[in-house]
Amino acid sequence: MAASTATVSSIKRYGLTEVFRPTDGVDVDIIFVHGLDGHPYRTWTSDEGHIFWPADLLPAAVAEDKARVLVYGYHADLASTADGVSKDKIHNHAEQLVAVLSASRRQARATERPIIFVAHSFGGIIVKRAMVLSSGIRGHHVSHLRSIFVSTFGILFLGTPHLGSDVAKWRSWLNTMYNAHCLSPLVEDESYLIHALTTGSETLQTIERDFVQLASRFHIYYFHEGKPTDLGGTLLYIVDEISASPVLSDVERATIQQDHAHMCKFANLSSPGFDLVTEGIQRYASQATSIIRSRWEYEKSEQHSRKELAANELLGDTARGIQHINLKDSHDRATVQSDGSHNTSLKSTRLSGLQQKSFYIVSRDRVKDFLGREDQLQEIATFFSKKSSQQPKVLILHALGGQGKSQIALEYCQRSRNQYRGIFWINASSKALAIESYTQIAKAVAGFNSASVQDGERVVRLVKDRLEAWAEECLLVFDNYDPPEEFPRVQKFLPKVESCHVLFTSRHGDLGRLGSLVKIPGMGPEEGVGLLLRGYDSRDIETNFATALEIVERLGYLALAIDQAAAYIRYRRILPHQLEKFLNTYETQRERILKYTPSDFWEYSTVQIHREEDQGKAINAFTTWEMSLEQLKSRPSMPNPEILRLLTVSSYFNTTRIEESLFRNYWEKCEDEAQWLRALGTKDDTATGQLDHDQNDEHVDGANGEWDPDIFWDILHTLHTSTLVQDLQPDAQGAAFSLHPLIRDWLQLREPADARRKHMKESFLILAHRANVLQDTDNTIWGVQRRPLLAHIDACISNDERLAAPHAEIGIEITDFSIAGNLAMFYLTSGRYKASEEIFRKVNETCAANLGEEHPYLLKCVYYFGLSLLYQHRYREAEQVLRRALQLRARALGEEHPETLQCMENLSETLQYQERFLEAECISREWLQLQEKTTGKDHQDTIPPMLRLAKSLSRQGRHDEAENLSRHAVQVCEKTLEEPHLQTEEAIESLAYVFAKQAKYDEAEARYLQCVSLCEDLYGTEHPQTAFVLHALGFMYYNQGNLDDADTMLRRALKLQLNSVSEEHIDTQDSMSYLTLVMYAQHNYAEAQLLLYRLLEIWRKSLGKGNDRSLKIMALLALVLRKQDKHAEADKIDQERLELEKTTYEVG
């Protein structure tokens, strides 16, 4: 098939390009959106034949549907191109897409034309965010931007990481592969786009949560890749099926048997996936016109109604009689629904009722300037306008406290005053308060006096009878129906007629049996910023949008907290350009800000505390969660002090993915301190009625004190239904949950300072025990379970810096130095050397000052402190510390003690790195002699000093001696150890190294491959030691001149290291460094440049600008730049290097 006349040069890099237009008119627009590092032409063009399928293949499939085909390009480059690395955030890209599309379609007089999106990878995230943005637009001056949402009929997602991708966690320089042997361009470590695409990203969660609220409106087709991508010899799915096809009802799903990069490229009609994709597009195109036409009719009707409502509010009550007459015809007209059907319920009979006496009994204050939430309001209106067999119609608004449920309900009441004969607000916090509300309704609608309505059940019957007799519709709002177990028979309060609409607001998540449940999401970015900065000039808002959005994100998109922050900002007279000041202030004054309420005109002012309504009590973000806690305390079956302790301790962890294993390991390893967990997760308390389990449940039986995951799940489920925890989910390790960031703040700040420090210390203890378990567990957990634990340790360290008393930080107090040492050790083995160093330094000072230099714990900490320096390439400092450790251990334990000899090993290694090979040889020989003296010559403990000595000899060119030592070490292993064994692998690797140094490449390769097999048996395929051997094999291939195999092995090693440890790990940096040499030798200068820049940034951050490694990298970088004729950039690098060398040598 011939290639398209379209070429790279004919397609606009940024913006819209029309690539096909039917000659007989246009009915549908099909728009293609590429992903990260994509291109509006290249992304959709096949490698074979260069077929640009949107123009070459698709038009024939949609010929009968008069479809116009366009491609959209945007700046999402991750490489340092002429346009630079993209700094735009997802909402920037979405805004641009909506603006460009809207402008193009308005100019073509095609605003109402149906749209079908085809989006690859990250492009799907942009489209979703654009839908959320466009759907929320209501302002008069920007209403045209809403047309994109209204006109969109279908979306085909090709490999979109809706839930994130582990590939995106490969730090910032590694991105989607273009082909089997080429890494993507390098980006900065803190790249927003890369960070936003990681699994568990809050940004992706927010976009997915908001989009799900709209998803039923669109026809959606999820496609996932059926083949893994070859990443330098390792096969990996860039976006797995779970992320590409998330759980969502009424959507289509299919597999395209291609890898991630090629699933969107079709060379011919037989290409894998072409038939599925084009059939979906054709079917959507054929259905779209009539449906979108109906939606536009409905949209125009809604716009007309909003204008009438605004006019009515301006005119006031005097206009109502006129309005009832003038609006009669419009109400008689059938209302067009979003699905194209017609609702005829709004008849003149309702209007005649409205002209009778109407009632509006609403005790809550509505906020003066209600912003956003149009999608939720429309969802409520649509629900109540549809025909239903349910009597009454019941809708539940569910969200955590402060999310804006009541204000949405109040806004709906205000906007619907002309629709209902009566709107009644019921405080459903308890049955008694609900009866009080019904008493007020009875007095109003039936004229009963207080004496005649003292019987609560009679009041409820009277109100129900009266409302059921009305021909007109009425609305009952049951606000704060949070403790259903205290108000279990609420259905008895509901009139049994379809004309009665019932709206509940609740934090409780299990109310689905009452009616339809709507989960209220956090505010969208534009809504949140608009609420935060309402009243400010629009230009100021636009200029400071990014900083304002940071505040909104920090407040978790929680409506009440954002409104409080807005009040605080106004009270403190903080101008828009000073918002950065507020952001800095927040972390030190969280409690003051989140408890701040204006003394006057604060609309959030009704709260129930201790089951009594306080009409004048001001609500803030903290009081709403206190109410949830009060409701939990009212349950006699709940172990309340223990639950509060669980929540409080969890608040000092990272807010995402708090795993059950943390508490289970704490219970198992530290039973005395963890006695409080007995009520939350052990079997022996079930008999005492801690939870209302079925007596036939299997998990009730069992030994006393054994951890029971079912009991712990029940506790978490209760907290989840009360919205005190979020994202509850099971996994292989047990339950996992998250905390909203502001609930985290509230839990920390509700305690006095001494209790806060106590629980913070306990959080450290829990993490220390979990760290010990992971250190001792099977090695297949590397990278999978370590990353969440590292995030929790980071959070605890940050809390400690903010909240600990002076001179009481972790590692300083003598009572917790062992905990600090365990955490520092976990940092060390995870490649977080700088963090490890900082803790070990404090622990060393504490131990030396309080325990003396010969204390066993100090002997360990000094040694590991030295290792943390060694692995940061700070060899001189490491040598000093390790020599001190050697002296202390020799004096306290003796020269022949295993821990003394261990110091000698690492001291020899440090000297080798400084190329002081003779000194390293002397240390190794002394170590070997002492070991042989202790255990004999052929003992397995002599293997490590033999291997270290062999390395020293080989580095001096004494390869025959090194080979003999290595062979002897292998023989000792074969005699004394069972295979597979760690020391056997190390001995064979040493022999392979010596063979490689002698250029005996065939023998070296055979030994290295044997080591790879041993490592996979010993550690699994994902362990750093497996990566280390792959790295060694790759470097041998490089020295041999076998660049292709070197490239493959080094890429495999690097991928494993980035997944299992980090960029900070010494082995990872070595793999990166040698890979740049391979790239240079392959003339792959573009990738070499990107990787060198990344490596330079890492070493400058960890070692300082003038370190030897950075200077060498700069020299190579300048060469790479000159190979690409980037002489000005190379000159700049060389000049900086020379200045640094001069400064470094002068200081030296």
mmCIF file of all heavy atoms in Angstrom, residues 484-497:
data_model
loop_
_atom_site.group_PDB
_atom_site.id
_atom_site.type_symbol
_atom_site.label_atom_id
_atom_site.label_comp_id
_atom_site.label_asym_id
_atom_site.label_seq_id
_atom_site.Cartn_x
_atom_site.Cartn_y
_atom_site.Cartn_z
ATOM 1 N N PRO A 484 -25.949 5.176 60.631
ATOM 2 C CA PRO A 484 -27.179 4.422 60.348
ATOM 3 C C PRO A 484 -27.534 3.438 61.448
ATOM 4 O O PRO A 484 -28.714 3.126 61.639
ATOM 5 C CB PRO A 484 -26.873 3.709 59.023
ATOM 6 C CG PRO A 484 -25.401 3.749 58.880
ATOM 7 C CD PRO A 484 -24.933 4.968 59.601
ATOM 8 N N GLU A 485 -26.518 2.949 62.196
ATOM 9 C CA GLU A 485 -26.839 2.003 63.266
ATOM 10 C C GLU A 485 -27.588 2.681 64.417
ATOM 11 O O GLU A 485 -28.287 2.030 65.186
ATOM 12 C CB GLU A 485 -25.560 1.328 63.780
ATOM 13 C CG GLU A 485 -24.569 2.241 64.493
ATOM 14 C CD GLU A 485 -23.740 3.049 63.525
ATOM 15 O OE1 GLU A 485 -23.845 2.809 62.301
ATOM 16 O OE2 GLU A 485 -22.984 3.915 63.993
ATOM 17 N N GLU A 486 -27.466 4.012 64.540
ATOM 18 C CA GLU A 486 -28.213 4.740 65.567
ATOM 19 C C GLU A 486 -29.566 5.219 65.060
ATOM 20 O O GLU A 486 -30.416 5.654 65.841
ATOM 21 C CB GLU A 486 -27.392 5.941 66.048
ATOM 22 C CG GLU A 486 -26.143 5.558 66.809
ATOM 23 C CD GLU A 486 -25.447 6.768 67.390
ATOM 24 O OE1 GLU A 486 -26.081 7.839 67.482
ATOM 25 O OE2 GLU A 486 -24.276 6.648 67.756
ATOM 26 N N PHE A 487 -29.760 5.188 63.771
ATOM 27 C CA PHE A 487 -31.010 5.648 63.161
ATOM 28 C C PHE A 487 -31.369 4.622 62.084
ATOM 29 O O PHE A 487 -31.417 4.930 60.895
ATOM 30 C CB PHE A 487 -30.778 7.033 62.565
ATOM 31 C CG PHE A 487 -32.018 7.766 62.138
ATOM 32 C CD1 PHE A 487 -31.922 9.054 61.631
ATOM 33 C CD2 PHE A 487 -33.286 7.184 62.217
ATOM 34 C CE1 PHE A 487 -33.037 9.752 61.228
ATOM 35 C CE2 PHE A 487 -34.416 7.866 61.817
ATOM 36 C CZ PHE A 487 -34.289 9.148 61.316
ATOM 37 N N PRO A 488 -31.629 3.368 62.510
ATOM 38 C CA PRO A 488 -31.669 2.268 61.542
ATOM 39 C C PRO A 488 -32.909 2.214 60.669
ATOM 40 O O PRO A 488 -32.874 1.645 59.591
ATOM 41 C CB PRO A 488 -31.576 1.028 62.443
ATOM 42 C CG PRO A 488 -32.165 1.471 63.744
ATOM 43 C CD PRO A 488 -31.822 2.925 63.889
ATOM 44 N N ARG A 489 -34.023 2.773 61.073
ATOM 45 C CA ARG A 489 -35.273 2.604 60.316
ATOM 46 C C ARG A 489 -35.698 3.929 59.717
ATOM 47 O O ARG A 489 -36.838 4.359 59.835
ATOM 48 C CB ARG A 489 -36.345 2.023 61.235
ATOM 49 C CG ARG A 489 -35.886 0.734 61.921
ATOM 50 C CD ARG A 489 -36.969 0.127 62.777
ATOM 51 N NE ARG A 489 -37.997 -0.505 61.960
ATOM 52 C CZ ARG A 489 -39.082 -1.098 62.476
ATOM 53 N NH1 ARG A 489 -39.273 -1.103 63.781
ATOM 54 N NH2 ARG A 489 -39.982 -1.638 61.681
ATOM 55 N N VAL A 490 -34.755 4.549 59.048
ATOM 56 C CA VAL A 490 -35.035 5.860 58.469
ATOM 57 C C VAL A 490 -36.082 5.778 57.364
ATOM 58 O O VAL A 490 -36.771 6.760 57.060
ATOM 59 C CB VAL A 490 -33.725 6.492 57.947
ATOM 60 C CG1 VAL A 490 -33.232 5.754 56.708
ATOM 61 C CG2 VAL A 490 -33.905 7.969 57.645
ATOM 62 N N GLN A 491 -36.244 4.587 56.760
ATOM 63 C CA GLN A 491 -37.234 4.457 55.693
ATOM 64 C C GLN A 491 -38.645 4.791 56.170
ATOM 65 O O GLN A 491 -39.491 5.216 55.373
ATOM 66 C CB GLN A 491 -37.223 3.025 55.107
ATOM 67 C CG GLN A 491 -35.939 2.665 54.391
ATOM 68 C CD GLN A 491 -34.985 1.921 55.310
ATOM 69 O OE1 GLN A 491 -34.937 2.203 56.508
ATOM 70 N NE2 GLN A 491 -34.236 0.981 54.742
ATOM 71 N N LYS A 492 -38.920 4.602 57.470
ATOM 72 C CA LYS A 492 -40.252 4.901 57.995
ATOM 73 C C LYS A 492 -40.567 6.391 57.935
ATOM 74 O O LYS A 492 -41.726 6.788 58.086
ATOM 75 C CB LYS A 492 -40.371 4.383 59.433
ATOM 76 C CG LYS A 492 -40.430 2.863 59.539
ATOM 77 C CD LYS A 492 -40.685 2.437 60.969
ATOM 78 C CE LYS A 492 -40.886 0.928 61.044
ATOM 79 N NZ LYS A 492 -42.141 0.511 60.378
ATOM 80 N N PHE A 493 -39.547 7.232 57.715
ATOM 81 C CA PHE A 493 -39.749 8.668 57.626
ATOM 82 C C PHE A 493 -40.082 9.112 56.194
ATOM 83 O O PHE A 493 -40.401 10.273 55.977
ATOM 84 C CB PHE A 493 -38.497 9.409 58.095
ATOM 85 C CG PHE A 493 -38.324 9.459 59.587
ATOM 86 C CD1 PHE A 493 -38.077 8.315 60.331
ATOM 87 C CD2 PHE A 493 -38.404 10.671 60.271
ATOM 88 C CE1 PHE A 493 -37.913 8.356 61.698
ATOM 89 C CE2 PHE A 493 -38.245 10.731 61.643
ATOM 90 C CZ PHE A 493 -38.004 9.563 62.363
ATOM 91 N N LEU A 494 -39.995 8.213 55.241
ATOM 92 C CA LEU A 494 -40.083 8.612 53.838
ATOM 93 C C LEU A 494 -41.478 8.389 53.271
ATOM 94 O O LEU A 494 -42.018 7.268 53.354
ATOM 95 C CB LEU A 494 -39.070 7.815 53.000
ATOM 96 C CG LEU A 494 -37.627 7.775 53.518
ATOM 97 C CD1 LEU A 494 -36.755 7.011 52.529
ATOM 98 C CD2 LEU A 494 -37.082 9.166 53.764
ATOM 99 N N PRO A 495 -42.092 9.403 52.670
ATOM 100 C CA PRO A 495 -43.368 9.216 51.976
ATOM 101 C C PRO A 495 -43.211 8.210 50.839
ATOM 102 O O PRO A 495 -42.198 8.206 50.143
ATOM 103 C CB PRO A 495 -43.696 10.614 51.448
ATOM 104 C CG PRO A 495 -42.905 11.536 52.310
ATOM 105 C CD PRO A 495 -41.652 10.808 52.656
ATOM 106 N N LYS A 496 -44.211 7.378 50.638
ATOM 107 C CA LYS A 496 -44.116 6.289 49.662
ATOM 108 C C LYS A 496 -44.776 6.680 48.337
ATOM 109 O O LYS A 496 -45.688 6.015 47.847
ATOM 110 C CB LYS A 496 -44.769 5.023 50.223
ATOM 111 C CG LYS A 496 -44.204 4.547 51.543
ATOM 112 C CD LYS A 496 -42.722 4.200 51.448
ATOM 113 C CE LYS A 496 -42.189 3.647 52.751
ATOM 114 N NZ LYS A 496 -40.739 3.380 52.696
ATOM 115 N N VAL A 497 -44.327 7.760 47.756
ATOM 116 C CA VAL A 497 -44.847 8.184 46.461
ATOM 117 C C VAL A 497 -43.688 8.627 45.579
ATOM 118 O O VAL A 497 -42.663 9.114 46.068
ATOM 119 C CB VAL A 497 -45.861 9.344 46.602
ATOM 120 C CG1 VAL A 497 -47.162 8.867 47.222
ATOM 121 C CG2 VAL A 497 -45.272 10.490 47.405
#
